[in-house]
Amino acid sequence: MPLAGRLAGGAALGLLLAAQAVAALEPISTAIAIGAASALTGYLSKDVYCRFAECCPKEQPLNASALKLELEEKLFGQHLATEVILKALTGFRNNKNPKKPLTLSLHGWAGTGKNFVSQIVAENLHSRGLKSNFVHLFVSTLHFPHEQQIKLYQDQLQKWIQGNVSACASSIFIFDEMDKLHPGVIDAIKPFLDYYEQIDGVSYRKAIFIFLSNAGGDLITKVALDFWLAGRKREEIQLKDLEQVLSVGVFNNKHSGLWHSRLIDKNLIDYFIPFLPLEYTHVKDCVRAEMKARGSTIDEDIVTRVADEMTFFPKEEKIYSDKGCKTVQSRLDFH
């Protein structure tokens, strides 16, 4: 390469790394930073560029077998979530021309695995998982705390999604604590979830949006308890037993970010996925999995002690863990 070309490449690389640093510091500026970095690939070959910065992955079918194995080995007591997420993601990624982005709404009490599943999904679609520049996590109480600033949040959210999907069509957007989001904020992304081929020259059809919410946990628990009282196994619960109940319940829940949302009204959420309350055996599975992840020998005496310290409901039957597996790590630290 001529000297001038090498100098230009070196300058581009320096600007690239600077842009990546800006992206890491300020979320709202990430789209601009990544866009600037992407423009610099004109000075660098694709291979060189991708050695120094994460590149948007090429389109390729999802490794369904790997995802299935990970869900089955790490997610406990959630046969519905495992089945629906596997089929939804596989079908979406294998479709070369989807008509809209994939939109999943995950519901259930804390500690049942919603955040864990979003992490697994991110890791199976982007090598750096939640640390990827193309996976974006919003936490309602952190990013959208003030009710009087809803219009500002809507404007920022639209610009942020536009910029990031422009940089990578297969971007993933995760919205946590949807039950604490001010109603109306999420409606700002409605155009991006719709069946438009392009908006201002950008296609959003290959992006994925995931909502995580505790809203609907009471409805899910009621159905699970009804099955238990009828002597039926939880594995007999099907999506049709809960999906309609969830969508209507969340739509009419004033304490939900999806209250009277146009996303539901216009049928733009592809799947409402219920996460069932966890039973005693599932809590023990969580303890074993955590011990295995730490490289510890699984001691069944400690497994039992940790599980026995958890509290369960309803008051009389004591079937379901009221915190799911959420405090397993801290209790295991204690033992």
Side-chain angles (χ1 to χ4, degrees), residues 115 122 139 148 182 189 205 210 228 334:
N115 289 88
V139 181
Q148 64 272 25
H182 302 297
I189 72 172
R205 292 181 168 186
I210 303 176
W228 185 85
F334 177 80

Side-chain angles (χ1 to χ4, degrees), residues 250-303:
V250 172
F251 183 80
N252 292 314
N253 186 345
K254 290 185 178 181
H255 302 291
S256 166
L258 290 169
W259 180 61
H260 287 188
S261 173
R262 289 186 297 162
L263 307 189
I264 297 178
D265 189 42
K266 299 300 182 181
N267 298 309
L268 297 179
I269 297 178
D270 298 298
Y271 297 96
F272 288 86
I273 304 176
F275 280 67
L276 303 174
L278 300 184
E279 299 176 10
Y280 180 80
T281 56
H282 304 131
V283 173
K284 294 182 79 171
D285 287 336
C286 289
V287 179
R288 294 187 188 100
E290 178 62 21
M291 295 178 80
K292 182 179 179 182
R294 297 183 183 193
S296 304
T297 301
I298 296 177
D299 186 327
E300 289 298 331
D301 180 53
I302 293 179
V303 170

Side-chain angles (χ1 to χ4, degrees), residues 136-177:
H136 314 284
L137 173 64
F138 296 93
V139 181
S140 296
T141 52
L142 176 64
H143 294 104
F144 315 110
H146 306 297
E147 187 173 6
Q148 64 272 25
Q149 294 186 7
I150 288 178
K151 182 64 172 63
L152 173 64
Y153 297 149
Q154 290 177 325
D155 292 342
Q156 289 180 334
L157 196 52
Q158 286 187 343
K159 291 176 182 176
W160 210 65
I161 290 175
Q162 287 170 341
N164 282 290
V165 174
S166 296
C168 182
S170 58
S171 292
I172 300 175
F173 301 92
I174 302 169
F175 294 82
D176 196 9
E177 298 185 345

Side-chain angles (χ1 to χ4, degrees), residues 160-269:
W160 210 65
I161 290 175
Q162 287 170 341
N164 282 290
V165 174
S166 296
C168 182
S170 58
S171 292
I172 300 175
F173 301 92
I174 302 169
F175 294 82
D176 196 9
E177 298 185 345
M178 281 293 295
D179 48 303
K180 298 179 178 65
L181 183 66
H182 302 297
V185 172
I186 202 65
D187 281 350
I189 72 172
K190 186 261 179 190
F192 309 128
L193 305 189
D194 218 324
Y195 290 82
Y196 299 117
E197 185 172 350
Q198 288 187 346
I199 300 176
D200 294 332
V202 179
S203 173
Y204 296 85
R205 292 181 168 186
K206 293 184 179 180
I208 296 176
F209 294 80
I210 303 176
F211 305 134
L212 312 179
S213 179
N214 290 351
D218 52 343
L219 302 173
I220 297 169
T221 298
K222 183 182 183 303
V223 171
L225 187 58
D226 287 344
F227 269 70
W228 185 85
L229 292 172
R232 302 175 65 184
K233 297 179 180 179
R234 64 191 282 130
E235 289 75 19
E236 294 181 44
I237 302 175
Q238 299 180 37
L239 188 61
K240 66 180 182 180
D241 297 317
L242 279 164
E243 192 169 33
Q244 181 65 20
V245 172
L246 268 181
S247 62
V248 173
V250 172
F251 183 80
N252 292 314
N253 186 345
K254 290 185 178 181
H255 302 291
S256 166
L258 290 169
W259 180 61
H260 287 188
S261 173
R262 289 186 297 162
L263 307 189
I264 297 178
D265 189 42
K266 299 300 182 181
N267 298 309
L268 297 179
I269 297 178

